[in-house]
Amino acid sequence: MHQLLNLTSLPFSSIPIIIAGPCSAETQQQTIETSKQLKANGVKLFRAGLWKPRTLPSAFEGVGRIGLKWLQQVKQETGMLVATEVANREHVELCIDAGIDIFWIGARTTTNPFAVQEIADALAGHDDKIVFVKNPVNPDVDLWIGALQRINNAGVTKLGAILRGFGTEGKHIYRNMPEWHVAIELHRRIPELPILCDPSHMGGKRKYIPTLSQQALDMGFDGLFIETHCEPENALSDSEQQITPNDLATLIKSLIVRRMMLPDKTLDALRRQIDECDNSLIEILNKRMNISRQIGIFKKENNVQVVQTNRFDEILKLRINQAHEMGMSRDFMKRVMTAIHQESVRQQIDIMNNNQNT
Ligand code: PEP
Ligand code: MN
């Protein structure tokens, strides 16, 4: 196969690789305290964002270069390797001067080849640095590989990727949809590239971290990138998805590490895809119910009756034929559509009865 990247292995001994630390370095005290607690729990790789790419300009955008001193202190006092996010030439240069060991490129930056090229140019000649490239915001494996190639072409061979999920509109279970198959495709195309999972940004909530972490390990991911804060509830950014160093230690102990490669089309990979399809099904059903609820409001305001059988007959016929053409049985699709219709009617009747929250 065509060699897409020239890689050397990452100088980490732990399996799985665990990189942990706060979303943002906020104060010297919070940074040092978190690192000490992590160190006490056996973590060797520390992350903390200094320049935070935030959706809204009103959000906390990081402490910037002042935090480099805190990361240097973490390195000195704990012996951990330190990682931070870089998004432009200036960040890279400041981090190189400060002796930062590991750089990561955030999802928003990976999406922009100009920014990635600027980072790559600034890294040229610094082949001792370790760089992780997060997936782009959209599920485009070529764009992800392109970013990895730009960094690799600059001479960086200690490279890894991080799956943090993909943004979509609307309300979802997870903050970013895992789309595991994108990482599986990346692995298929570049089998020797280490891939970590970031269950914090993927899940968006603490409670999802254990399941997502185990799923990632089950699929053979090489490690986890987990936001950890000494006081998660007081965090200035991503408070809901951070866990304490003690909770991280409990999580790591509970994880089952199956030492196998990311399967391409093995049973596990296929089962994960089924899980993903089920999540998407639930979301798409919810989207459909939301529209039904809007129709319910319209009907209520205009005094139109809820059930209009002609319309349902039309939909039913159409869907049954569509499904049949795709190889599903007519009877199956009839049962699915009837169940969906019943729930839509229930939702609309609920609205008629003024109970819009069910
Ligand atoms: C982060 O890791 O702090 C971060 C901003 O992540 P992402 O690029 O995945 O949003
Ligand atoms: Mn974060």
Side-chain angles (χ1 to χ4, degrees), residues 21-24 47 49 52-54 85 104 108 134 175 198 200-201 225 227 237-239 241-242:
C23 175
S24 305
R47 65 148 282 160
K52 302 300 301 174
R54 308 317 305 268
E85 174 169 347
W104 83 81
R108 297 159 187 80
K134 287 193 161 197
R175 178 175 173 189
D198 173 346
S200 312
H201 288 92
F225 192 78
E227 287 193 334
S237 58
D238 290 349
S239 164
Q241 69 190 34
Q242 304 209 54

Side-chain angles (χ1 to χ4, degrees), residues 2-10 105 116-133 143-160 190 192-194:
H2 177 63
Q3 183 88 21
L4 290 174
L5 296 178
N6 169 25
L7 300 172
T8 49
S9 47
L10 297 179
I105 298 181
V116 177
Q117 192 56 53
E118 181 180 319
I119 292 167
D121 292 344
L123 277 164
H126 299 279
D127 57 8
D128 56 321
K129 297 300 173 195
I130 299 161
V131 179
F132 285 94
V133 180
L143 191 57
W144 199 357
I145 291 175
L148 286 155
Q149 283 178 330
R150 286 176 196 277
I151 303 298
N152 195 220
N153 289 345
V156 176
T157 58
K158 292 176 196 147
L159 267 180
I190 315 175
E192 64 284 6
L193 178 75

Side-chain angles (χ1 to χ4, degrees), residues 86-97:
V86 289
N88 61 32
R89 168 177 287 279
E90 190 194 7
H91 298 162
V92 174
E93 288 172 354
L94 287 167
C95 286
I96 288 172
D97 287 348

Side-chain angles (χ1 to χ4, degrees), residues 31-88:
T31 307
I32 305 301
E33 180 57 29
T34 305
S35 74
K36 292 205 159 145
Q37 291 185 21
L38 284 167
K39 164 83 177 178
N41 282 302
V43 177
K44 298 191 177 71
L45 307 169
F46 183 76
R47 65 148 282 160
L50 303 179
W51 299 278
K52 302 300 301 174
R54 308 317 305 268
T55 303
L56 300 175
S58 51
F60 174 63
E61 295 194 300
V63 294
R65 67 172 74 188
I66 187 190
L68 289 166
K69 287 197 208 112
W70 310 338
L71 291 182
Q72 285 174 324
Q73 194 182 340
V74 168
K75 231 178 123 158
Q76 266 164 18
E77 294 185 8
T78 67
M80 296 165 110
L81 296 187
V82 291
T84 200
E85 174 169 347
V86 289
N88 61 32

